[in-house]
């Protein structure tokens, strides 16, 4: 992480939560972290979708498209399980008690958001979930970071750029969202669940921004991720225990964990998908946390809005590799055009937002203005 800190510096200063200058060293760090995080998110979402559909008896998705593995608590818990692998390499941090309290609040919000996100995947396509979460997270984090936590700024030009980002995300998912028949079947429940998950996750991002920009303690990203995994697994373990004893329609309870582990560990395909989810979680968490620390929650959510396109590309690749399996999304020229144009609009909106935010931060004196943008700091 010390190397990352050096790369995130500018003009001899160590900057936290400040937008980069276009095409300088911090900009390319933003691009690298964004691409790795977007790919890992797309892999994780599609792997979770396949796991929810996969029927070990047939080796493919059900013909009716209904979810076979309805386990949102377990899938949300998997997001924290992957982070546990970091702990042996970084150790337990010596932080003040108030940081652990904030982190527990963050984990609670993240756990709720994760449960709701994976629940939404049971009712809606991956692309619809991604599109709605992009719009909500960009809007909620921008307003919250500017007016509630006051960790970033927001003016009319930056607001316009964020609207462009959300418009690109909407266009990238237009062909799916316009499928009225598919939406009528499960829209009310699915859309409500995904928006609640977005609100919870936006609050989580605001708390994360507060923790990572803590002035009293320099919060290490890897330790932050590891402690998040410990707290998250503890929280989800309690919730899964409660779900095990409360009556429901999953083998007599709300979510039967015994059946969950039997389903996964008696199928090599399910085990493989579970491992892919855990690995992608680690990459996703580390990359996203670095983005929040170095560039702020709103910038992070803006650049990660491109995950809609990333998730779609991976879904199409899955379909092309396994066309008769019922997994992934079928290639469609109209969809491809909408995704491409939408992706270009998202990137344009991100360029606008980062540029206008940086100009405003220089105007208000949050960061000195440097003449060089080519990777070398001015003298």
């Amino acid at each position: 992480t010390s190397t990352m800190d050096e790369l995130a510096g500018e003009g001899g200063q160590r900057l936290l939560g400040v937008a980069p200058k276009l095409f300088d060293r911090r900009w390319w760090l933003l691009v690298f972290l964004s691409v790795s995080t977007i790919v890992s998110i797309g892999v994780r979402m599609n792997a979770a979708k396949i796991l929810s559909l996969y029927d070990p008896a047939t080796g493919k998705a059900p013909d009716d498209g209904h979810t076979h593995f309805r386990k949102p608590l377990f899938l949300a818990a998997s997001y924290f399980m992957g982070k546990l692998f970091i702990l042996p390499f970084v150790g337990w941090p010596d932080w003040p008690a108030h940081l652990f309290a904030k982190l527990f609040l963050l984990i609670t919000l993240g756990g709720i958001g994760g449960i709701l996100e994976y629940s939404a995947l049971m009712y809606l396509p991956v692309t619809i979930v991604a599109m709605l979460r992009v719009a909500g997270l960009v809007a909620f984090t921008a307003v919250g970071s500017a007016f509630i936590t006051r960790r970033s700024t927001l003016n009319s030009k930056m607001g316009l750029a964020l609207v462009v980002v959300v418009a690109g995300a909407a266009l990238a998912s237009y062909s799916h969202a316009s499928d009225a028949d598919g939406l009528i079947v499960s829209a009310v429940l699915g859309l409500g669940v995904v928006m609640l998950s977005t609100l919870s996750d936006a609050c989580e991002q605001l708390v994360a921004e507060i923790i990572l920009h803590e002035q009293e303690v320099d919060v290490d990203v890897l330790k932050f991720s590891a402690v998040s995994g410990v707290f998250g697994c503890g929280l989800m373990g309690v919730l899964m225990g409660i779900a095990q004893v409360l009556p429901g329609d999953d083998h007599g309870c709300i979510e039967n964990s015994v059946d969950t582990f039997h389903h996964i560990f008696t199928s090599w395909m399910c085990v493989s998908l579970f491992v892919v989810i855990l690995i992608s979680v680690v990459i996703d968490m580390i990359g996203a946390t670095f983005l929040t620390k170095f560039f702020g929650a709103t910038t992070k959510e803006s650049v990660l809005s491109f995950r809609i396109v990333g998730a779609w590309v991976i879904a199409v690749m899955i379909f092309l590799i396994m066309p008769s399996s019922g997994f992934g999304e079928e290639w469609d020229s109209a969809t491809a055009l909408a995704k491409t144009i939408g992706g270009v609009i998202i990137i344009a909106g991100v360029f606008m937002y980062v540029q206008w935010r940086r100009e405003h931060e220089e105007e208000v004196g949050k960061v000195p203005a440097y003449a060089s943008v080519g990777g070398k700091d001015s003298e």
Side-chain angles (χ1 to χ4, degrees):
T1 58
S2 60
T3 302
M4 282 289 192
D5 284 338
E6 293 175 3
L7 290 174
E10 182 178 303
Q13 287 190 323
R14 181 173 176 272
L15 303 179
L16 296 180
V18 174
K21 294 185 72 110
L22 294 183
F23 307 117
D24 72 353
R25 184 174 60 188
R26 293 183 75 240
W27 166 262
W28 291 114
L29 176 61
L30 174 68
V31 172
F32 168 74
L33 292 172
S34 300
V35 171
S36 59
T37 306
I38 287 167
V39 172
S40 65
I41 291 173
V43 170
R44 173 173 61 84
M45 293 183 70
N46 279 282
K49 184 69 175 181
I50 294 174
L51 183 59
S52 69
L53 292 172
Y54 182 73
D55 185 352
T58 63
K60 60 180 184 178
D63 294 333
D64 56 10
H66 289 169
T67 300
H68 185 79
F69 183 71
R70 195 178 292 267
K71 306 284 187 176
L73 282 177
F74 174 78
L75 290 174
S78 68
Y79 186 71
F80 298 109
M81 293 177 192
K83 302 171 190 176
L84 291 178
F85 295 109
I86 304 173
L87 186 61
F89 299 98
V90 298
W92 192 258
D94 183 19
W95 291 341
H98 70 87
L99 273 184
F100 287 104
K102 291 175 183 176
L103 191 57
F104 182 77
L105 172 62
L106 177 147
I107 292 306
T108 302
L109 292 168
I112 294 171
I115 293 169
L116 293 173
E117 177 187 359
Y118 284 116
S119 297
L121 287 173
M122 309 296 172
Y123 302 99
L124 296 171
V126 169
T127 315
I128 291 291
V129 174
M131 183 266 290
L132 292 175
R133 284 176 58 80
V134 162
L137 284 170
V138 169
F140 293 150
T141 55
V143 173
S145 186
F147 301 110
I148 299 176
T149 65
R150 299 187 181 278
R151 298 284 166 168
S152 66
T153 57
L154 184 65
N155 59 22
S156 57
K157 290 200 298 184
M158 286 186 280
L160 173 62
L162 295 178
V163 170
V164 172
V165 170
V166 173
L171 178 59
S173 297
Y174 169 75
S175 58
H176 297 277
S178 62
D179 182 3
D181 292 336
L183 287 179
I184 289 173
V185 174
S186 55
V188 175
L189 181 59
L191 296 179
V193 168
V194 76
M195 290 311 296
L196 286 175
S197 79
T198 301
L199 179 60
S200 180
D201 281 341
C203 293
E204 176 199 11
Q205 293 305 314
L206 295 176
V207 176
E209 190 174 43
I210 292 173
I211 295 173
L212 292 167
H213 295 174
E214 177 70 39
Q215 297 297 317
E216 179 183 346
V217 179
D218 180 18
V219 178
D220 182 85
V221 168
L222 296 181
K223 291 183 179 180
F224 175 90
S225 302
V227 176
S228 298
V230 174
F231 282 10
C233 285
L235 173 65
M236 296 308 301
V238 171
L239 294 178
M240 291 173 69
I242 294 173
Q244 185 71 40
V245 298
L246 293 179
D249 57 3
D250 184 12
H251 296 79
C253 59
I254 293 179
E255 184 171 315
N256 192 308
S257 296
V258 175
D259 174 71
T260 297
F261 287 101
H262 178 268
H263 178 90
I264 290 177
F265 292 105
T266 55
S267 165
W268 69 267
M269 181 66 170
C270 291
V271 171
S272 300
L273 289 169
F274 181 52
V275 171
V276 168
I277 290 172
L278 294 182
I279 294 173
S280 61
V281 159
V282 175
I283 300 172
D284 171 10
M285 178 65 181
I286 293 175
T289 306
F290 271 121
L291 285 169
T292 301
K293 181 171 184 175
F294 294 151
F295 307 107
T298 307
T299 300
K300 186 203 82 168
E301 292 303 335
S302 298
V303 297
L304 294 190
S305 62
F306 198 76
R307 63 183 175 268
I308 291 177
V309 180
W312 167 73
V313 169
I314 294 172
V316 169
M317 291 174 61
I318 291 171
F319 176 82
L320 294 176
I321 293 171
M322 300 182 292
S324 61
S325 65
F327 304 131
E329 296 185 17
E330 187 174 356
W331 171 267
D332 179 80
S333 298
T335 299
L337 180 62
K339 290 289 192 304
T340 302
I341 297 175
V344 170
I345 293 175
I346 290 171
I347 294 173
V350 170
F351 269 77
M352 293 161 57
Y353 174 77
V354 170
Q355 176 65 22
W356 287 337
R357 176 173 173 175
R358 177 58 184 241
E359 290 177 358
H360 183 70
E361 288 171 339
E362 291 180 356
E363 287 175 3
V364 300
K366 187 173 181 179
V367 59
Y370 297 106
S372 173
V373 295
K376 296 180 181 179
D377 300 320
S378 59
E379 295 296 324

